[in-house]
Amino acid sequence: MSLPKFDYQAPQTLDEAVLLLSKAKKDAKVIAGGTDLVVAMKQRRITPALVVNIKGIKGLEYIKNGKGELRIGALTPLSSIEESELIREKFPALAKAAGAVGAPQHRNAGTIGGNICLNTRCWYYNQSPFFRKCRPVCYKFGSDKDKCQLFPTREGKANVCYSVFSGDTAPALIALGAKIKIKGPEGEKTIPLTELYTGDGKRPIALAPADIVTEVTVPSPPENSSSAYMKYRVREAIDFPLLGVAVSIALDAGSGTCKNASVVLGAVASRPVEVTEAEKILKGKKITEDLIEQVGEAAFKAAKPLANLLECSPQYRKRLAKVFTKRAIKSALEIIKSA
Amino acid sequence: MIKLEKEVINVKRLIELIVNGMSYEIAVDTHRTLLEVLRDNLGFTGTKNGCDQGECGSCTVLIDGRAVHSCLTLAMDAQGKNIETIEGLSEGEKLHPIQQSFVDHGAIQCGFCTPGMIMSSKGLLDKNPSPTEDEIKRGISGNLCRCTGYVKIVDAIKAVEGR
């Protein structure tokens, strides 16, 4: 499969890149690692007129620790995050999630900025032109007149795209309370990572056409805290997640009660799903087997997978959300205990 | 209906690729992948074209020492970087220790995955000269082999001389 033709620019500075994108408006795409975009272009899902390669911009590839937060440049390869001693020790969920993305080749090329801006996936969407030509046009690919192929007969209701957000690092980063820095034509802004996701499968990432994610910042974890990430997929490598669970827990040093808890599910909706119940259940209490069971139940209720990833049934993924949440909490608690 | 191609004015660009230490100056279309340029323009057909979507790993090359899929890398993006392909490993008739080990252990059957498998192994061994079995399995987890069942490949990488 060859790529569709496009114009190519490789700006040397961020300002130049933003200018190029804002001039080109809708038809331009940013490329860094290219592991997501190149496949989409080969399958003719995305056919931009202009591709702007931001890999040449200096000073966006770093992992820095200081002032109570960890700063990661958007162009940092996932393999550097996976291998960083600092991240492995202090942010185990992030290291685990970065190491769970695709294959080693994907992690060497793919960047953290690209992984959080990953396009959503669906069995009806991520297909070759030939496959799509044999079927009605899917809503994510087509216009408002086209039906979501998951519910092709549903009449009288507004069209909704149910494609799945399949990034690994985003749930882990949200559980750790990450923020991202975005550079756009109007200047720089910092938003919590969770605001990057619209929840709408057709347009999952809330970035304007000329916006570029430049940095991810994660607050340093307090004493007596830890995090964990668990991913389910059919093969142990290459595959996208069928379920991802990120957990971060902080305990009170003296009493051992839970100070903070956050559970985030990946690959069960068009955005990472925060299980808000989890914090209510655990906060201020000593974590017991019974409470972990309750959090698992809350994760089960929050997970709403559909039959658009075909490797296993949505029922199985929903039930697995409970099991993985419980296991992730236990593994985070174990790390705190052993420290 | 599905719109497959868009009209874009396209001009070839002159780029410099450094493959196996040799510099090549060629004119390429901006939409060519590194794999296409290596195979079609430069004749490095040792790098194989399998799935073309970054699933099988047979197109693996090393860029600045890191194993990446050349089918997912734009040729434009690889300019000026140090690209290593399977052709750069042996010195004339003398095989690279990884290649020799693959031959000795019968880690090659049909041979299609081998160039990618060896480049992935090289990327791994350059960084970590004495990996454990788990590390080896993780290192080659992006490469599919349908013949050997991986056991002999893992044995071959474990036994690479000069580790």
Side-chain angles (χ1 to χ4, degrees):
Chain A
M1 262 174 293
S2 59
L3 285 166
K5 290 184 175 174
F6 52 79
D7 200 11
Y8 175 91
Q9 295 288 345
Q12 297 297 311
T13 65
L14 256 181
D15 292 323
E16 222 179 299
V18 171
L19 193 70
L20 274 169
L21 288 168
S22 52
K23 267 194 200 156
K25 293 260 163 62
K26 248 191 163 169
D27 246 337
K29 275 277 166 192
V30 173
I31 193 169
T35 51
D36 195 36
L37 183 65
V38 173
V39 178
M41 290 200 294
K42 281 187 172 176
Q43 294 183 339
R44 303 298 189 273
R45 283 187 274 123
I46 300 173
T47 49
L50 170 68
V51 169
V52 177
N53 185 352
I54 57 169
K55 261 273 174 85
I57 297 173
K58 300 239 157 28
L60 282 184
E61 187 183 328
Y62 54 81
I63 298 172
K64 284 181 193 158
N65 194 23
K67 280 194 194 159
E69 61 185 16
L70 172 80
R71 292 164 54 219
I72 308 172
L75 289 182
T76 311
L78 293 166
S79 54
S80 306
I81 293 169
E82 175 197 3
E83 286 156 14
S84 156
E85 280 301 321
L86 170 76
I87 295 178
R88 274 173 182 230
E89 192 190 319
K90 287 201 165 160
F91 309 89
L94 178 57
K96 190 88 187 293
V101 175
Q105 290 98 319
H106 294 117
R107 297 196 287 275
N108 285 338
T111 61
I112 180 84
N115 194 254
I116 58 176
C117 296
L118 203 68
N119 202 350
T120 51
R121 298 172 53 78
C122 174
W123 190 74
Y124 295 94
Y125 177 70
N126 292 75
Q127 294 287 358
S128 64
F130 178 74
F131 175 100
R132 294 199 312 267
K133 222 159 49 180
C134 305
R135 287 173 178 268
V137 178
C138 114
Y139 169 57
K140 183 168 167 72
F141 191 78
S143 66
D144 277 342
K145 277 179 284 176
D146 301 307
K147 286 257 174 275
C148 170
Q149 292 303 302
L150 206 53
F151 304 108
T153 55
R154 192 157 73 169
E155 290 293 329
K157 276 193 183 170
N159 240 335
V160 179
C161 174
Y162 294 99
S163 54
V164 181
F165 181 77
S166 305
D168 281 304
T169 52
L173 284 168
I174 292 176
L176 292 165
K179 287 182 177 166
I180 54 167
K181 218 186 246 176
I182 297 171
K183 172 104 179 168
E186 284 94 42
E188 246 177 5
K189 60 177 175 181
T190 305
I191 59 166
L193 178 58
T194 145
E195 284 174 21
L196 181 67
Y197 304 105
T198 60
D200 171 12
K202 196 166 167 73
R203 207 181 149 273
I205 308 295
L207 280 183
D211 283 353
I212 298 173
V213 176
T214 58
E215 188 182 77
V216 180
T217 54
V218 192
S220 292
E223 293 287 305
N224 269 313
S225 72
S226 189
S227 57
Y229 180 75
M230 293 196 70
K231 170 173 180 173
Y232 177 68
R233 49 182 164 179
V234 175
R235 299 176 288 183
E236 275 295 295
I238 308 173
D239 284 340
F240 283 94
L242 292 166
L243 175 75
V245 179
V247 165
S248 119
I249 289 178
L251 298 184
D252 192 77
S255 58
T257 55
C258 174
K259 261 204 309 201
N260 260 313
S262 166
V263 177
V264 185
L265 307 176
V268 291
S270 295
R271 56 163 295 142
V273 177
E274 291 157 84
V275 186
T276 40
E277 283 284 290
E279 172 135 35
K280 284 182 209 154
I281 295 170
L282 293 178
K283 200 166 184 177
K285 293 181 198 141
K286 205 154 173 71
I287 297 176
T288 59
E289 199 64 33
D290 188 43
L291 286 181
I292 294 175
E293 184 75 24
Q294 280 181 39
V295 177
E297 201 59 48
F300 175 79
K301 279 186 187 141
K304 294 189 171 90
L306 291 166
N308 49 3
L309 302 177
L310 294 197
E311 290 95 330
C312 70
S313 72
Q315 292 87 338
Y316 185 77
R317 280 157 65 206
K318 193 169 166 71
R319 271 178 252 164
L320 202 60
K322 180 177 175 179
V323 178
F324 269 28
T325 304
K326 290 196 288 187
R327 284 188 198 167
I329 294 175
K330 281 176 194 162
S331 106
L333 287 176
E334 218 139 87
I335 302 174
I336 300 177
K337 228 186 260 169
S338 64
Chain B
M1 282 287 97
I2 295 175
K3 221 163 124 196
L4 287 184
E5 206 84 66
K6 274 183 193 169
E7 290 260 337
V8 182
I9 305 157
N10 216 34
V11 189
K12 286 200 178 196
R13 310 250 182 113
L14 204 61
I15 61 167
E16 187 201 17
L17 291 181
I18 303 159
V19 187
N20 302 329
M22 290 273 281
S23 168
Y24 299 85
E25 206 164 284
I26 44 167
V28 295
D29 286 321
T30 49
H31 66 280
R32 289 285 166 225
T33 60
L34 178 61
L35 177 66
E36 288 169 327
V37 171
L38 282 176
R39 286 182 62 87
D40 304 343
N41 299 37
L42 300 178
F44 289 108
T45 49
T47 308
K48 297 292 178 245
N49 184 355
C51 67
D52 220 2
Q53 304 194 11
E55 294 254 350
C56 73
S58 59
C59 66
T60 304
V61 298
L62 300 186
I63 296 184
D64 290 343
R66 284 167 177 258
V68 298
H69 293 121
S70 60
C71 72
L72 296 185
T73 310
L74 297 179
M76 300 296 295
D77 191 31
Q79 44 180 328
K81 292 176 187 164
N82 198 3
I83 304 160
E84 282 173 76
T85 70
I86 188 77
E87 285 91 346
L89 292 192
S90 64
E91 290 161 23
E93 291 284 292
K94 193 175 172 286
L95 294 179
H96 186 276
I98 303 175
Q99 291 174 309
Q100 191 58 51
S101 182
F102 267 60
V103 173
D104 294 344
H105 286 80
I108 303 171
Q109 283 183 26
C110 87
F112 193 87
C113 74
T114 310
M117 205 60 96
I118 289 178
M119 294 321 283
S120 276
S121 320
K122 183 160 190 293
L124 171 75
L125 292 172
D126 285 353
K127 214 163 35 178
N128 178 3
S130 48
T132 62
E133 185 163 333
D134 273 350
E135 283 167 340
I136 292 174
K137 284 183 180 169
R138 246 178 98 74
I140 59 165
S141 63
N143 294 70
L144 298 187
C145 170
R146 302 288 83 166
C147 309
T148 65
Y150 303 102
V151 175
K152 289 178 175 182
I153 295 176
V154 173
D155 286 348
I157 299 171
K158 256 195 258 176
V160 172
E161 269 177 77
R163 245 171 65 177

